[in-house]
Every structure is written in structure tokens, then in C-alpha cells.
């Protein structure tokens, strides 16, 4: 049985409902299998088409001259720059990155709480449940639609816009994390509130309590552990985001990493990478420990520690909150809106925008297929609970690889891949694939750990060899869930194409970066709208495919 | 006569708790034996001794007339497939099609390659269909197992047992979660179709009357000891009352 607060459950909530949620017993859908097969065939053709378009088998993809640089980079892994001056620089940078993540998370939790109330069904439900109130239903749909926009735009794009109105201030990094993450948190919190709101809430409402007080008395206390647990999961994601934002100028380890990369100072890079691995491992460990063994006291202690971190982070970054409401900011917002409106085509016309969108789609698809293939394979090695010492050692190694691949930001992977591959969508796909492999592999390992494998043990008891137990019980019971997470991750990967696009991997991200450099704001708006539409299309495909997996 | 399952003065201890104390029982081929007794009497431990998932603390357990403990892996595998188990929760693999769940009964015999290839192109479909036909659900062969009703899934589990063709069938509370009519039906299938007249059946049951009606022999367990071991015809209501008595 999967625990109510496992990592997988959190992802289910983000994706909007568990993939294998019970649809009532006895419902027979013999065409269910065939539909899943149709999707697989379509997917196969889409992958082949993407590979063909990316030039696989048609032109040289690998640049043999780059292997020497690649070799020098990896050789530096054993000699990170540990001089005291550089280590103290990295220490300072690490504090900056963590501070961005902490403040971004804290703000996104506040935004999330407010948003959750606005988009929860409970809030919009009429006092008398038998009556369907059209106005309330419309209000619910409208606020849901409104809140889905900010989460369709990647943190990096928010950063590009915010820097225009707020200038060089830590507020940019904080808000770039807090706005999209706040919208995701709102969606998840709304689902938690709706799950928790039961008879207690209805009874309070029936007794005449207002909606706010009924929520505060009847729902919030019971939902609190889940809300806190998700906030810590968001913190794990915020760390990764803060690094990416750092690379595009917010400062911290990400920025140091890109400076060292430009100078080809590999030994410095490795110091930064090791620091990232440690930070990311500690954040992941903290969050998963809270989810697995989170007693009320531990949760409270972690929350207090979180508050202390918020105070320390404000002191470290010293964001100028006054800028949020200053008249110059307001003027800059007005100017930005005026210069952006109305959206215009890029230099090569609307058709060029469509071509870029197709590139982006292909890049995300290849990234995901690549990531999920190796993630699912390695998840079986990485899953905890091996019985022999060799299995346990292999699991530790696999886990380390996973932590490492997700701690290194995608733009760094992209630059590394670009050493040995000619530019185009393919290196972008490989870079995104490596990064998502780290995230997906961890999720899939948890699916396997949570599997209640009594069926497998029953087969082993009748003498089935290990391979057969794996093929007849373990794989069929876990593969649908893992595929569902891979499909959900595709939605996220599409948004992430922006950040590898920025470093030259192509697609809409590359276009956005060029337009930003040329101060072409109306063109940027068209590109962002194209990204939103594309992400809506991928969401629809992914949701339809996940439905056949149930 | 060689016995299928023989326990010689067996004791099983879990920590401080004695699950079985000096149990001395021999079960011959073709017998249908019911284990009865209150919760915690040691019925499950008895069954787990039979499929070798529990080793006795004292005494010896012999299956199929050989008290030699299987040594090599191939030996152990051969011993495994002669024993078939019915679980209360069935332990079927939901996302697989029925034919594969039934064919899982072959896994103790099949080579690795055959087992894997069968998932792509099902082998021995006729045998699977015949087994399902005897249980009355031959038309479900190609469906996904988790799309079937609870009763149909129960039949799939029994069909897997038919395909496995074990000499000794063990069943731990197979009808505990069913209403009386369905319990009767499942016991029918278990005794007549699966056990037949040739296989040995050892089943633990809560329902004392059901046990008397369906089995040839009853073994009453209480606090890890055998209280009685008698043909079903000789077991009286008074023996039942004494077995389930609550001490104060």
C-alpha cells in the first residue's frame, strides 16, 4: 500500500489524481488494453519522427573533437578546487542559493494557501449540497482556469520578465520561484483540502458557520501535516530551481557554476557540483524523513527550523520589499505591458514560430523517452530493501547516481553535451533527459519500494525463478504507475525545454532568449503564448494517455 | 503407506511464544484435512510448516515421504511445485491478463526463456482454457484480471492451482471473507475440482460445520496443541464447543 504522504502521493496530487484510482468494481472495459496499444503505436511513430527530424542517421551528430574537453571535465572530478578562498566563496554562494529556495518556498506556501481556498471545490460548494448553484460552479471553473496560467510558465521565463520591472534585486529570484510554485502548491493544497473536508466541515456549515471559519475549525487542523509535508517537498524542488535561476543571473552557486564554465575552470566547477549534490541530498533527506517518520513533534520542529531559515534568508539576501509597491515599479509594469501588447510574430513569421514549437515538442518527447527508459531500468536497482549485501551496495550506487544527475542543473548538462554533439534539439533532449532521469528514477524507485508484493512471493513459493517472478508479478504491477509518472513528467519537461533552449539547444526557449536580447517584447509575448498553448496540448495528450493506464 | 505430510513431535517457537507444541500428525495421500480452532491456535503455522516457509524449532517435518531437507536450488524448486497454496487474498497480479495469471502455475516448471516468451505469445493456452472451463469462466481468458469480479478472481486463482497440478494443496482460511452461500460454493470448487480424489488437501477453516461437511478428517488445535484428530463423522458438537471455549 502506498502511504498517504509518500513522494508518489504528492506527485499524484500534482498530476491531478492517482493513476490507478478505483473506478468502481466490476466495470469491464475490454477495449482498455487496445486503446493503450494505440497510444503506444502513436508514441513510437512520434519518437521515430522526432529522431528523424533531429537528424539521426542523416547527418553527423557527434563532434569527435569534443571528447578531449569532456575527458578533462570528468578527470577534474577527483581534483575539485579545495583552496580555502574558493571554498569560502562557494560557502557564501551556497547560502545565497538556499536563501532563494527558502524564501521562494515560504512565499509559494502563502500564495498556495490563498489560492487553494479559491480553487477548492469545498469553498465553492453551496451550503445545501442538493442544489447545484450555476453561479458558484462558474466561479470555481473561472478561478481554476486563472490559476493554471502561472504554473504553465517556467520559473526562468518569470525571471526574465521580473528582472525588467524589479531590476537587479533578490526579489526577482524569490518571486520567479514563488509565482509558478505558488500556483502548483495551490492546486495540490486545494486537493488536500477537498480530501480532508468531510462531515466536520459540513456540520459546521449547517450550524451556520461562515466558509472561512468552517475551514479553519473543520479542515485545517486535520490537513496540516499533509500541507507541511508538501511544503517541504516543494523546498526540494525550489533548491533545483534556485540553481537554475542563479545560472541566468540571480546569483548563488548556479551563477558561480556558469562563471567557472565560461572560464573552463573544471576544478572550480566540481567544487560547486559537489556542494550542490550535498545541498540537494540534505534537502531530499530532510523531506523524505519527514514524510516517512514524521511524528507531530518532528513536523513542529522542522516547521520552527523552517521559520528560522526564513529569517536568516531575509537577513542574507536583504530583498527590497518596498520595490513591490513603489511607483517606479508600477510605471515599469505599465511600460512592459504597453510594449508587449499586441503579440507579434518572430522575424521569420508565424510559420517560424510553429516550427520552433514543433522542435520544442520533439525535444521534450525525446528527453522523456530517454529519461524514462533508463529511469525505470535503474529504479529496480535503486529501490531499497535488497536482501544481499551486493544488492544493497548496488542500490546505494544507483541512488548516488540519481542524486548527482538531478543536482546538476540542466543548462550544465546541456553545455556538457554540446561539447560532443553539434547544436540542435538533440543535445537539448539528451541534457533534459539526464536531468529528468534523476527525478523520475527516484520516483520510480519509491513505486517499487511501496509495492505490496504478496503476489510475487506467492509465485516464488511455487518455485518460479527470480526472472519469472519479476516478469509475472513485479513488472506488471509497477510499470503502469511508473509510466503514468513518466507521462506527468513530460508536462514538466516541456516547460523545462526553455532553460536548455536558452543555452542554445533550440526551440522556443532559444527564440525567447534571442527576443529578450533584442528587447522584442511583443515577440516574447507571442512566444510565451505559444509555450502555454503547447504545454496545454501536451497536458491533454498526457492526461488521455494516463487514463488508459488505469 | 507413505504419508504426504508428516510432523514428528514438532514444536515451533517465535521469540517467547510457542506457536506449536509437540504436534505429531501424519496425513496420507488423497486425504482432506481441516484444521480448526480459535484464532491464534497455530493453524497458519501448521500450514507454513507444510510449505517450508517456517522451520520447526524441534522435531522434524517430512513431505512426500522424504524427511530429507532439499539441498540444491533445483531440488528446492522441485519440492516447491509439488505444493500448491490458496491464499485468502488470492495474490493475483491485477494488470496481467487472466491467461498469464493461470499460466503462472507453470512457473515452477518452465524455463526462464519459456516463461518470458509466454508473456509475449501465451503458451499452453488450451490447458489454461480447460482449467478455466472446469471452473466455469473459460470466456474470461483474455481479460485483464483486475477487471473481473471477486468471485471470478477466486476462480482464476483456483485455475492457476489446477495448472500447477500440485500433489498437496494448502489453503489458509480460503472462505474467511465470504458470505455463507459463497463460502459453500468456493469450498465445493476447492474440494471437488481442485483437490479431486487424488490430491491431498489441508485447509484451515473458521467455520466448524463447514469443515465437518466438506472434509474427511478434522484436526482441532488450541494454544498450539492438537486437542483432537478424528474422522469428520466422529467429531461432535461438544468437541467443537470445548475447542472454542473462552477461558476466564
Amino acid at each position: 500500500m502506498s502511504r498517504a504522504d509518500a513522494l508518489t502521493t504528492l506527485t499524484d496530487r500534482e498530476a491531478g489524481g492517482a493513476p490507478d484510482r478505483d473506478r468502481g468494481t466490476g466495470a469491464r472495459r475490454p477495449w482498455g488494453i487496445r486503446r493503450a496499444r494505440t497510444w503506444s503505436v502513436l508514441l513510437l511513430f512520434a519518437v521515430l519522427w522526432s529522431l528523424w527530424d533531429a537528424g539521426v542517421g542523416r547527418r553527423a551528430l557527434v563532434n569527435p573533437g569534443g571528447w578531449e574537453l569532456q575527458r578533462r571535465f570528468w578527470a577534474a572530478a577527483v581534483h575539485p578546487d579545495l583552496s580555502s578562498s574558493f571554498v569560502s566563496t562557494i560557502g557564501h554562494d551556497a547560502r545565497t542559493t538556499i536563501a532563494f529556495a527558502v524564501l521562494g518556498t515560504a512565499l509559494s506556501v502563502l500564495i498556495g494557501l490563498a489560492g487553494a481556498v479559491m480553487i477548492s471545490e469545498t469553498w465553492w460548494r453551496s451550503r445545501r449540497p442538493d442544489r447545484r448553484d450555476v453561479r458558484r460552479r462558474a466561479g470555481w471553473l473561472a478561478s481554476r482556469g486563472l490559476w493554471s496560467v502561472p504554473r504553465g510558465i517556467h520559473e526562468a521565463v518569470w525571471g526574465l520578465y521580473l528582472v525588467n520591472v524589479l531590476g537587479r534585486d533578490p526579489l526577482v529570484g524569490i518571486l520567479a520561484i514563488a509565482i509558478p510554485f505558488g500556483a502548483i502548491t495551490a492546486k495540490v493544497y486545494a486537493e488536500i483540502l477537498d480530501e480532508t473536508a468531510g462531515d466536520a466541515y459540513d456540520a459546521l456549515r449547517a450550524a451556520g458557520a461562515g466558509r472561512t471559519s468552517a475551514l479553519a475549525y473543520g479542515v485545517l487542523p486535520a490537513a496540516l501535516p499533509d500541507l507541511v509535508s508538501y511544503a517541504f517537498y516543494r523546498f526540494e524542488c525550489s533548491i533545483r530551481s534556485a540553481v537554475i535561476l542563479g545560472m541566468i543571473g540571480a546569483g548563488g552557486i548556479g551563477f558561480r557554476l556558469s562563471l567557472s564554465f565560461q572560464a573552463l575552470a573544471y576544478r572550480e566547477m566540481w567544487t560547486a557540483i559537489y556542494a550542490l549534490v550535498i545541498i540537494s541530498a540534505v534537502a531530499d533527506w530532510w523531506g523524505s524523513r519527514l514524510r516517512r517518520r514524521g511524528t507531530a513533534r518532528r513536523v513542529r520542529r522542522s516547521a520552527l527550523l523552517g521559520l528560522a531559515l526564513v529569517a536568516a534568508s531575509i537577513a542574507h539576501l536583504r530583498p527590497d520589499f518596498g520595490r513591490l509597491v513603489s511607483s517606479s515599479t508600477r510605471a515599469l509594469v505599465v511600460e512592459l505591458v504597453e510594449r508587449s501588447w499586441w503579440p507579434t510574430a518572430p522575424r521569420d513569421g508565424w510559420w517560424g514560430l510553429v516550427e520552433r514549437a514543433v522542435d520544442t515538442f520533439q525535444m521534450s518527447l525525446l528527453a522523456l523517452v530517454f529519461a524514462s527508459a533508463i529511469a525505470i531500468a535503474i529504479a529496480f536497482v535503486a529501490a531499497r530493501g535488497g536482501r544481499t549485501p551486493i544488492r544493497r551496495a548496488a542500490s546505494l550506487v544507483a541512488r548516488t547516481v540519481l542524486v548527482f544527475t538531478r543536482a546538476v542543473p540542466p543548462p550544465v548538462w546541456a553545455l556538457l553535451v554540446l561539447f560532443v554533439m553539434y547544436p540542435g534539439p538533440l543535445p537539448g533532449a539528451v541534457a533534459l533527459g539526464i536531468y529528468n532521469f534523476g527525478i523520475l528514477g527516484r520516483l520510480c524507485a519509491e513505486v517499487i519500494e511501496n509495492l505490496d508484493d504478496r503476489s510475487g512471493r506467492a509465485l516464488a513459493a511455487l518455485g518460479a525463478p527470480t526472472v519469472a517472478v519479476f516478469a509475472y508479478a513485479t513488472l506488471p504491477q509497477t510499470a503502469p504507475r511508473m509510466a503514468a509518472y513518466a507521462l506527468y513528467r513530460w508536462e514538466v519537461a516541456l516547460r523545462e525545454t526553455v532553460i536548455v533552449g536558452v543555452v542554445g539547444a533550440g526551440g522556443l526557449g532559444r527564440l525567447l532568449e534571442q527576443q529578450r536580447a533584442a528587447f522584442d517584447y511583443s515577440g516574447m509575448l507571442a512566444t510565451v503564448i505559444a509555450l502555454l498553448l503547447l504545454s496545454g496540448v501536451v497536458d491533454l495528450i498526457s492526461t488521455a494517455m494516463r487514463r488508459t493506464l488505469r | 503407506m507413505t504419508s504426504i505430510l508428516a510432523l514428528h513431535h514438532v514444536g515451533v517457537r517465535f521469540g517467547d511464544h510457542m506457536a506449536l507444541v509437540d504436534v505429531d500428525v501424519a496425513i496420507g495421500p488423497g486425504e482432506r484435512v481441516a484444521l480448526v480452532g480459535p484464532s491464534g491456535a497455530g493453524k497458519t503455522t501448521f500450514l507454513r510448516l507444510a510449505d517450508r516457509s517456517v522451520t520447526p524449532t524441534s522435531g522434524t517435518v517430512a513431505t512426500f515421504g522424504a524427511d530429507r531437507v532439499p539441498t540444491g536450488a533445483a531440488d528446492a524448486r522441485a519440492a516447491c511445485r509439488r505444493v500448491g497454496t490458496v491464499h485468502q487474498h488470492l495474490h493475483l497480479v491485477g494488470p496481467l491478463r487472466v491467461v498469464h495469471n493461470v499460466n503462472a502455475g507453470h512457473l515452477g516448471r518452465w524455463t526462464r526463456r519459456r516463461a518470458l516468451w509466454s508473456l509475449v505469445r501465451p503458451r499452453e493456452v488450451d490447458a489454461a482454457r480447460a482449467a478455466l472451463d472446469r471452473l466455469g469462466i473459460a470466456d474470461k481468458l483474455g481479460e485483464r484480471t483486475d477487471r473481473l469480479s471477486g468471485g471470478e478472481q477466486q476462480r482464476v486463482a483456483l485455475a492457476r492451482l489446477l495448472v500447477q497440478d500440485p500433489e498437496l494443496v494448502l489453503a489458509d482460511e480460503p472462505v474467511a471473507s465470504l458470505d455463507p452461500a459463497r463460502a459453500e460454493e468456493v469450498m465445493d470448487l476447492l474440494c471437488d475440482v481442485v483437490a479431486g480424489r487424488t490430491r491431498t488437501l489441508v485447509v484451515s477453516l473458521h467455520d466448524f460445520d463447514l469443515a465437518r461437511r466438506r472434509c474427511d478428517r478434522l484436526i482441532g488445535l488450541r494454544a498450539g496443541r492438537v486437542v483432537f484428530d478424528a474422522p469428520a463423522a466422529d467429531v461432535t458438537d461438544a468437541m467443537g464447543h470445548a475447542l472454542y471455549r473462552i477461558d476466564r
Side-chain angles (χ1 to χ4, degrees):
Chain A
M1 292 290 121
S2 68
R3 267 179 306 274
D5 48 359
L7 184 60
T8 44
T9 321
L10 301 182
T11 313
D12 286 342
R13 287 196 176 119
E14 279 182 358
D20 52 359
R21 189 179 275 178
D22 201 11
R23 297 171 303 110
T25 48
R28 292 191 301 142
R29 286 204 314 177
W31 40 268
I33 298 170
R34 237 169 286 143
R35 282 250 310 217
R37 195 167 296 165
T38 318
W39 277 120
S40 330
V41 172
L42 282 176
L43 193 66
L44 183 70
F45 277 110
V47 170
L48 290 176
W49 166 62
S50 307
L51 285 173
W52 172 259
D53 249 20
V56 173
R58 293 190 301 155
R59 54 184 142 90
L61 297 165
V62 177
N63 172 10
W67 286 113
E68 176 52 27
L69 286 173
Q70 189 79 279
R71 192 197 60 73
R72 264 187 253 157
F73 170 78
W74 290 101
V78 286
H79 304 289
D81 187 344
L82 294 179
S83 63
S84 62
S85 64
F86 192 70
V87 168
S88 77
T89 311
I90 285 286
H92 184 267
D93 290 340
R95 281 202 295 280
T96 307
T97 296
I98 294 170
F100 272 121
V102 167
L103 292 181
T105 311
L107 201 54
S108 71
V109 166
L110 292 182
I111 297 174
L113 275 175
V117 174
M118 283 172 66
I119 58 177
S120 73
E121 276 179 77
T122 311
W123 179 261
W124 292 97
R125 203 165 55 198
S126 139
R127 196 183 292 259
R128 291 181 44 196
D130 51 319
R131 225 177 30 200
R132 280 179 66 108
D133 193 328
V134 179
R135 255 191 343 211
R136 282 186 182 235
R137 181 127 194 104
W140 177 65
L141 282 175
S143 67
R144 257 188 112 82
L146 207 65
W147 277 88
S148 72
V149 174
R151 63 167 192 266
I153 299 173
H154 193 269
E155 301 96 89
V157 180
W158 281 110
L160 293 184
Y161 272 108
L162 286 166
V163 81
N164 272 307
V165 289
L166 294 171
R168 293 227 156 256
D169 190 90
L171 270 181
V172 173
I174 297 168
L175 287 177
I177 296 175
I179 294 171
F181 280 23
I184 298 171
T185 310
K187 184 186 174 197
V188 172
Y189 277 12
E191 202 158 310
I192 294 175
L193 289 183
D194 286 340
E195 269 171 32
T196 323
D199 299 339
Y201 176 82
D202 291 338
L204 287 170
R205 289 282 286 150
R211 290 191 286 187
T212 317
S213 43
L215 272 180
Y217 277 78
V219 182
L220 219 50
L224 207 55
D226 274 0
L227 300 181
V228 172
S229 156
Y230 186 74
F232 275 92
Y233 171 64
R234 264 297 123 197
F235 177 58
E236 299 169 38
C237 307
S238 295
I239 295 261
R240 290 192 271 277
S241 254
V243 177
I244 292 167
L245 288 169
M247 291 200 75
I248 58 173
I253 294 198
F255 190 55
R256 185 70 48 199
L257 203 51
S258 56
L259 283 184
S260 302
F261 209 139
Q262 278 159 23
L264 297 182
Y266 299 134
R267 294 181 54 205
E268 287 181 13
M269 277 186 79
W270 276 101
T271 318
I273 288 174
Y274 286 131
L276 277 183
V277 169
I278 292 168
I279 294 171
S280 150
V282 168
D284 291 2
W285 172 82
W286 189 5
S288 79
R289 198 175 146 79
L290 215 55
R291 285 191 291 277
R292 276 167 201 276
R293 288 188 282 267
T295 57
R297 221 176 109 217
R298 278 218 183 104
V299 172
R300 214 171 317 136
R301 231 184 312 169
S302 287
L304 278 178
L305 189 55
L307 284 181
L309 274 175
V310 168
S313 302
I314 292 178
H316 180 78
L317 288 180
R318 303 195 170 282
D320 180 6
F321 288 111
R323 286 200 193 200
L324 280 179
V325 287
S326 74
S327 56
S328 73
T329 304
R330 212 170 313 144
L332 283 169
V333 170
V334 170
E335 195 194 327
L336 181 66
V337 171
E338 276 171 357
R339 291 177 69 177
S340 299
W341 199 254
W342 164 265
T344 54
R347 242 174 297 155
D348 47 357
W350 292 108
W351 193 241
L353 193 65
V354 172
E355 261 172 38
R356 258 39 160 278
V358 169
D359 277 355
T360 301
F361 176 85
Q362 292 175 330
M363 201 199 296
S364 70
L365 181 68
L366 289 180
L368 222 281
V369 169
F370 173 64
S372 43
I374 46 176
I376 291 176
I378 207 163
F380 287 101
V381 183
R384 288 196 197 88
R387 276 185 212 94
T388 60
I390 296 173
R391 278 279 285 110
R392 279 198 292 273
S395 157
L396 191 68
V397 171
R399 273 168 190 287
T400 313
V401 170
L402 289 174
V403 170
F404 177 76
T405 47
R406 64 173 183 264
V408 175
V412 171
W413 285 122
L415 292 170
L416 282 175
V417 174
L418 281 171
F419 275 169
V420 289
M421 289 179 85
Y422 292 114
L426 203 60
V430 173
L432 267 188
I434 297 172
Y435 175 72
N436 275 293
F437 151 72
I439 295 171
L440 207 51
R442 179 181 180 217
L443 206 55
C444 291
E446 201 179 277
V447 171
I448 298 163
E449 286 163 11
N450 288 345
L451 173 68
D452 173 23
D453 197 21
R454 287 185 294 189
S455 321
R457 282 198 296 276
L459 292 187
L462 65 84
T466 319
V467 178
V469 172
F470 178 77
Y472 276 77
T474 319
L475 196 60
Q477 288 182 106
T478 50
R481 273 186 86 88
M482 296 199 278
Y485 290 132
L487 285 169
Y488 169 63
R489 201 65 215 172
W490 183 18
E491 301 172 16
V492 184
L494 185 95
R495 280 159 222 157
E496 287 171 346
T497 53
V498 173
I499 42 178
V500 290
V502 167
V503 294
L508 291 171
R510 177 79 184 278
L511 178 63
L512 200 62
E513 170 61 16
Q514 289 164 347
Q515 287 166 332
R516 189 196 64 85
F519 303 105
D520 176 8
Y521 291 103
S522 55
M524 273 175 84
L525 184 61
T527 310
V528 169
I529 291 173
L531 267 171
L532 269 174
L533 289 178
L534 189 59
S535 125
V537 169
V538 167
D539 280 13
L540 281 179
I541 299 175
S542 154
T543 311
M545 286 176 84
R546 271 186 279 144
R547 212 162 273 154
T548 65
L549 289 170
R550 289 180 187 184
Chain B
M1 189 184 73
T2 58
S3 60
I4 293 293
L5 174 67
L7 276 62
H8 299 292
H9 301 289
V10 166
V12 177
R13 179 203 294 278
F14 296 122
D16 289 339
H17 172 68
M18 286 300 289
L20 288 176
V21 186
D22 194 29
V23 173
D24 204 46
V25 167
I27 295 171
E31 274 197 280
R32 290 179 201 175
V33 181
L35 301 174
V36 290
S39 306
K43 304 190 292 289
T44 301
T45 308
F46 190 109
L47 289 171
R48 291 178 66 197
L49 281 170
D51 71 7
R52 297 188 177 281
S53 53
V54 163
T55 44
T57 317
S58 58
T60 56
V61 177
T63 42
F64 309 111
D67 52 6
R68 175 174 79 88
V69 177
T71 44
D75 231 18
R77 223 184 135 193
C80 280
R81 64 173 174 246
R82 293 169 78 178
V83 181
T85 311
V86 186
H87 304 272
Q88 191 191 325
H89 297 292
L90 308 180
H91 298 353
L92 296 171
V93 181
L96 279 186
R97 283 191 286 155
V98 168
V99 60
H100 297 306
N101 265 306
V102 174
N103 271 348
H106 290 298
L107 291 183
R109 243 180 331 260
W110 278 359
T111 60
R112 279 187 190 89
R113 214 169 70 182
R114 201 180 172 84
L116 296 182
W117 191 238
S118 174
L119 281 174
V120 183
R121 215 185 171 78
R123 309 297 298 262
E124 307 199 23
V125 180
D126 290 339
R129 188 179 289 118
L132 288 168
D133 195 31
R134 287 180 69 185
L135 294 156
I137 52 163
D139 56 320
K140 306 291 185 210
L141 190 72
E143 291 206 23
R144 249 180 78 148
T145 309
D146 53 9
R147 304 255 153 89
L148 302 183
S149 72
E152 288 165 344
Q153 293 192 11
Q154 190 111 36
R155 283 157 201 262
V156 174
L158 292 177
R160 175 162 83 186
L161 209 61
L162 272 179
V163 161
Q164 188 194 346
D165 193 20
E167 290 161 60
L168 172 61
V169 175
L170 306 172
D172 192 5
E173 305 282 5
V175 297
S177 52
L178 302 177
D179 65 59
R182 277 178 189 71
E184 200 77 41
E185 194 188 334
V186 169
M187 279 304 284
D188 260 345
L189 293 172
L190 188 61
C191 293
D192 299 339
V193 179
V194 178
R197 271 292 138 200
T198 50
R199 292 189 190 106
T200 309
L201 173 69
V202 182
V203 53
S204 72
L205 287 170
H206 263 305
D207 188 334
F208 192 68
D209 290 321
L210 188 66
R212 277 203 293 186
R213 272 202 309 283
R214 293 288 170 186
C215 297
D216 318 324
R217 176 176 165 193
L218 266 64
I219 297 177
L221 288 169
R222 188 182 165 87
R225 289 173 197 276
V226 175
V227 178
F228 60 79
D229 179 358
D234 298 349
V235 176
T236 62
D237 288 342
M239 289 160 80
H241 290 311
L243 190 66
Y244 290 103
R245 184 191 71 235
I246 292 172
D247 292 319
R248 286 178 203 282

